[in-house]
Amino acid sequence: MSINTERDVEANLQIGPTDQGMVRLFILAGDIEIPMDFDPEEAEEIAEEIRAAAQAARSVTD
């Protein structure tokens, strides 16, 4: 499986701060729950990667 492999899977993504000062990405897909905690610096790096990917995706469709 690669990033370009399409899947027919529905998932819910929630993002928010925890009471421990972390940023949590919480993924729910069917019966599977995946909590992923990051310190604020890591979360900012991930946000930058998401922005860069969005910009690259725009260039594919333009």
Side-chain angles (χ1 to χ4, degrees):
M1 181 173 91
S2 73
I3 197 90
N4 288 316
T5 304
E6 290 188 32
R7 299 288 180 162
D8 190 22
V9 176
E10 211 172 294
N12 180 28
L13 172 64
Q14 297 177 19
I15 304 170
T18 69
D19 59 0
Q20 299 295 309
M22 303 291 280
V23 175
R24 176 167 290 169
L25 276 66
F26 185 80
I27 302 165
L28 177 61
D31 293 335
I32 299 171
E33 296 181 353
I34 305 171
M36 300 170 58
D37 291 350
F38 303 93
D39 64 44
E41 291 76 21
E42 289 175 310
E44 288 174 346
E45 289 176 13
I46 292 167
E48 290 172 11
E49 290 179 30
I50 291 171
R51 283 195 272 299
Q55 184 175 4
R58 278 191 200 98
S59 69
V60 172
T61 59
D62 289 342

